[in-house]
């Protein structure tokens, strides 16, 4: 079985490609010329579903992370004074849910995770793609910390 990572540059590129493809179709259908706000909302939706009970600050409120995309949508609707301002957010939430469902929920109920980047893309963007990537990065950080110069330092403004 192919072991795939749920993170990394290749996976992020795949996520963006899926979002752009889906949102291009939706934007044409709904007559939305731009969908950058929808891509941002889809990223926010996927991240908020990954850790839904995390508390985040939004304006002056502390809210659960899963409510943030909806709060931003409500904020845009109130600022615009029209319910039509919710359309980019709704498209983003739907496209983010499409990705999240097929990447996280469907495999847990017995389905196959088909949202993984091609092997050549993983090798090119994420390096070797072996299982010890985290240990390599920890070792690299450890070596960098050991190699830095330690000394007394200099007083700011002094000579």
């Amino acid at each position: 079985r192919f072991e795939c990572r749920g993170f990394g540059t290749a996976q992020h590129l795949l996520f963006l490609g899926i979002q752009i493809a889906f949102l291009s179709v939706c934007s044409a259908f709904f007559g939305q010329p731009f969908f950058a706000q929808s891509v941002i909302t889809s990223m926010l939706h996927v991240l908020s579903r990954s850790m839904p009970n995390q508390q985040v600050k939004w304006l002056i409120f502390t809210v659960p992370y899963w409510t943030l995309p909806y709060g931003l949508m409500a904020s845009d609707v109130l600022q615009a004074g029209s319910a039509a301002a919710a359309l980019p957010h709704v498209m983003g939430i739907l496209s983010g849910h499409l990705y999240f469902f097929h990447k996280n929920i469907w495999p847990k109920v017995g389905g196959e995770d088909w949202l993984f980047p091609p092997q050549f893309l993983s090798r090119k963007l994420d390096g070797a793609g072996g299982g010890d990537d985290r240990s390599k990065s920890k070792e690299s950080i450890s070596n960098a910390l050991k190699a830095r110069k330690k000394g007394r330092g200099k007083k700011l403004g002094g000579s």
Side-chain angles (χ1 to χ4, degrees):
R1 174 165 153 76
F2 175 73
E3 191 64 34
C4 126
R5 293 175 12 175
F7 57 91
T9 306
Q11 186 66 41
H12 186 74
L13 187 63
L14 179 71
F15 170 79
L16 287 175
I18 290 169
Q19 297 308 307
I20 289 171
F22 184 76
L23 289 170
S24 293
V25 172
C26 286
S27 293
F29 183 72
F30 289 114
Q32 294 287 314
F34 306 108
F35 54 86
Q37 182 65 42
S38 300
V39 173
I40 292 168
T41 303
S42 69
M43 284 186 193
L44 190 58
H45 179 74
V46 170
L47 288 173
S48 69
R49 296 310 306 152
S50 298
M51 42 189 169
N53 296 323
Q54 177 78 27
Q55 296 292 311
V56 294
K57 288 288 247 181
W58 179 62
L59 300 175
I60 58 172
F61 307 106
T62 300
V63 297
Y65 201 1
W66 71 269
T67 62
L68 196 56
Y70 305 103
L72 293 174
M73 179 175 59
S75 173
D76 277 359
V77 167
L78 291 173
Q79 287 177 8
S82 169
L87 184 59
H89 294 282
V90 170
M91 288 177 7
I93 290 169
L94 289 175
S95 66
H97 183 73
L98 173 84
Y99 177 84
F100 184 79
F101 178 81
H102 285 286
K103 187 69 182 163
N104 298 307
I105 297 171
W106 185 246
K108 288 180 183 174
V109 296
E112 184 178 341
D113 177 15
W114 53 275
L115 293 178
F116 54 87
Q119 192 68 27
F120 75 91
L121 197 58
S122 293
R123 279 194 305 268
K124 182 73 172 168
L125 297 177
D126 295 333
D132 58 344
D133 283 346
R134 289 186 183 216
S135 63
K136 285 181 183 177
S137 70
K138 284 183 181 181
E139 183 180 333
S140 173
I141 292 170
S142 177
N143 290 339
L145 289 174
K146 288 178 188 174
R148 68 182 178 171
K149 295 180 182 178
K150 294 180 183 176
R152 291 186 36 148
K154 294 184 179 181
K155 183 177 179 182
L156 292 176
S159 50

